[in-house]
Amino acid sequence: MTLREHAVGGTVDGTSAVVPDLLVVVATAEDAAALAPLGRPTHVGGEEETDGPAQPVLVATGPDPLAVDEALDDLGAPAGRLLLLDGPCDTWAEEAARMVVRLDALLAEEPPGGVVVRGGTEAALAAARSAVRLRVPLVHLTAEQESSERAATQAAVAELAAWQTSPSGGVPYPTEIDLLVHRRLAPPQPSRHRAADPTVVRMPSGRGPRSSMTA
């Protein structure tokens, strides 16, 4: 059973199943720059991709979600959700507590088809804990961390993601989501011209021996 079929129990009205949301937690400007490709339409063969396993929805959050939202707009990948924290946080503990409440409520209200988090922000940890609790497939993307605290938090998020798909966690590895995320985040490959490709073997124009072929 595919992720789409699992999310809605098969098909709707005898037609194609609804594409579930894939919530992408964006907590910093760095997250915005790295994850923006997930929020842009993807075109395959000149047409917009509409039959993927899930529909990425960017969630602008973190201690300054308005700045994250603005950064996503500038990158041409508007956020689909904006989580405000009711004012600035004086300590990391306060930020973490508010993140847990906001993100847990978001996931519990309408569980998505999956959750993508990046790095070691408090938002990534809060979303990861909620996803594991609700048995929502979780994909964690690692990133360079600016402090030992962030590095430790990233390690904790990675452990949660690994535990979820372990025999103890019991959630199947989200292969469809993983492939979707990495395909969209992969840098575009430069077009290669066959005439300049050294791996192309040119056949001789005449009927001479094959040993006359050049590479």
Side-chain angles (χ1 to χ4, degrees):
M1 178 177 288
T2 66
L3 173 65
R4 184 186 303 196
E5 292 168 340
H6 174 74
V8 297
T11 60
V12 178
D13 298 330
T15 59
S16 60
V18 176
V19 179
D21 285 342
L22 174 63
L23 296 185
V24 182
V25 177
V26 187
T28 64
E30 290 76 16
D31 282 355
L35 300 174
L38 291 176
R40 301 188 189 114
T42 298
H43 294 84
V44 179
E47 297 184 358
E48 184 175 338
E49 181 182 34
T50 58
D51 61 348
Q55 177 60 48
V57 176
L58 302 183
V59 180
T61 181
D64 191 356
L66 292 177
V68 173
D69 184 50
E70 183 178 352
L72 289 172
D73 282 343
D74 291 342
L75 293 166
R81 304 282 192 281
L82 179 63
L83 296 187
L84 301 177
L85 298 183
D86 299 326
C89 301
D90 296 327
T91 65
W92 71 267
E94 184 180 3
E95 177 190 339
R98 293 186 184 183
M99 286 291 178
V100 168
V101 173
R102 284 285 190 267
L103 286 164
D104 193 65
L106 175 66
L107 269 64
E109 179 181 5
E110 188 174 347
V115 173
V116 177
V117 297
R118 175 181 181 272
T121 61
E122 297 303 329
L125 179 58
R129 291 180 61 185
S130 295
V132 169
R133 181 181 70 84
L134 297 169
R135 297 180 63 82
V136 172
L138 172 67
V139 170
H140 175 233
L141 304 173
T142 59
E144 291 293 330
Q145 299 302 303
E146 60 188 16
S147 67
S148 57
E149 290 82 1
R150 282 285 181 87
T153 304
Q154 174 166 260
V157 177
E159 284 294 325
L160 284 170
W163 180 87
Q164 186 188 54
T165 57
S166 71
S168 298
V171 174
Y173 186 79
T175 303
E176 290 179 297
I177 294 175
D178 187 68
L179 291 174
L180 169 67
V181 169
H182 286 87
R183 183 177 74 247
R184 291 200 177 189
L185 294 183
Q189 297 297 318
S191 59
R192 302 176 65 185
H193 299 288
R194 292 182 61 86
D197 191 340
T199 64
V200 174
V201 177
R202 297 185 179 85
M203 298 295 292
S205 58
R207 295 188 178 183
R210 288 187 178 269
S211 60
S212 63
M213 290 190 297
T214 59

